[in-house]
Amino acid sequence: MYIATLVTAGEISTGDLSSLCDRLAQAGCAPQVSVRIDGGRAADIAFQGGPATARKSLDGALAHTDVIVQPMAAREKKLLIADMDSTMITVECLDELADYAGIKDEIAAVTERAMRGELDFAQALDERVARLKGLDASVIDKCLAERIRATPGAATLVRTMKARLGATTLLVSGGFSRFADRVGVAIGFDRALSNELQIENGKLAGTVAKPIVDSAAKEKALLDTAATLGIPLSQTLAVGDGANDLPMIRKAGLGVAYRAKPVVAAEADARLDHTDLTALLYAQGVPSAEWEQA
């Protein structure tokens, strides 16, 4: 048995649900039962067989609605592994640091290409960081205070998974520990893994400590943490937006692309293009009345 969770920025009506069930039936997916959640913001449809076909038939059927299809048996997740920049927070930290150096446009252009998978991540990171050499390290705290904001729903997702589902939560970032450590604590993650931006005499040295946290490191963090805790991969959830998130998204029981680059959106099990990160709580069957509010 599978479950399709639909989460909307509008409202899902009874008529909408009936139409969606008809779509599934026509696609040969045998819908069994449908339930509206929280006054129409989200709905579940249980069905048999053909998850890829079901997702294809439901994607785009309702405006401003995200669709998450998965096996019902492993719906609740015990491990969350999440990217930071442009996923758990709203910006790319490196681009914002570059803005204080007056070179944001050129750095952001490289970031965009790296996140699209057009450049080697580690090489692109080294090259961008090198351009920041000599920048006063005090801009890190300034950037944190002025520009770093949690993505809507991030803290509620993390705290609810920990409190309601007993999940372990891990923030993994190709960005920097000066940001990730504080963001992780603020949002509620159990642990943060990221890169060390090296500083000499109060200024950025233009280098990152090795080894770099790249796509392989993110995938390894997922696999190692799951193995250590004895959590089946079917009960893991990974979310990110860039090409360096793809390996962990592919390996997770539910891999989610959040406002993602095309290469990621094309391969992820689910996409969040319209709704916030609390959609991933609905996907696990947790109604808003049981959420831990940030």
Side-chain angles (χ1 to χ4, degrees), residues 87-110:
T87 302
M88 286 289 145
I89 61 173
T90 60
V91 296
E92 295 283 336
C93 292
L94 181 49
D95 294 354
E96 299 308 311
L97 287 178
D99 198 22
Y100 289 101
I103 55 172
K104 181 175 182 177
D105 288 348
E106 59 188 271
I107 295 298
V110 177

Side-chain angles (χ1 to χ4, degrees), residues 68 75 77 79-83 87-88 150-171 187-189 237-240 254 256 258 272 276-286 290-294:
I68 302 165
R75 187 179 193 184
K77 307 304 182 186
L79 173 61
L80 167 66
I81 183 165
D83 173 50
T87 302
M88 286 289 145
T151 299
T156 299
L157 169 66
V158 171
R159 294 174 188 183
T160 301
M161 285 190 66
K162 290 172 64 176
R164 167 69 168 74
L165 304 176
T168 297
T169 58
L170 177 61
L171 183 67
I187 292 178
F189 282 91
L237 166 61
V239 57
L254 179 61
V256 180
Y258 178 79
L272 295 186
D276 68 29
L277 288 167
T278 58
L280 299 180
L281 292 172
Y282 285 129
Q284 295 177 81
V286 184
E290 299 179 16
W291 294 355
E292 293 289 321
Q293 298 301 325

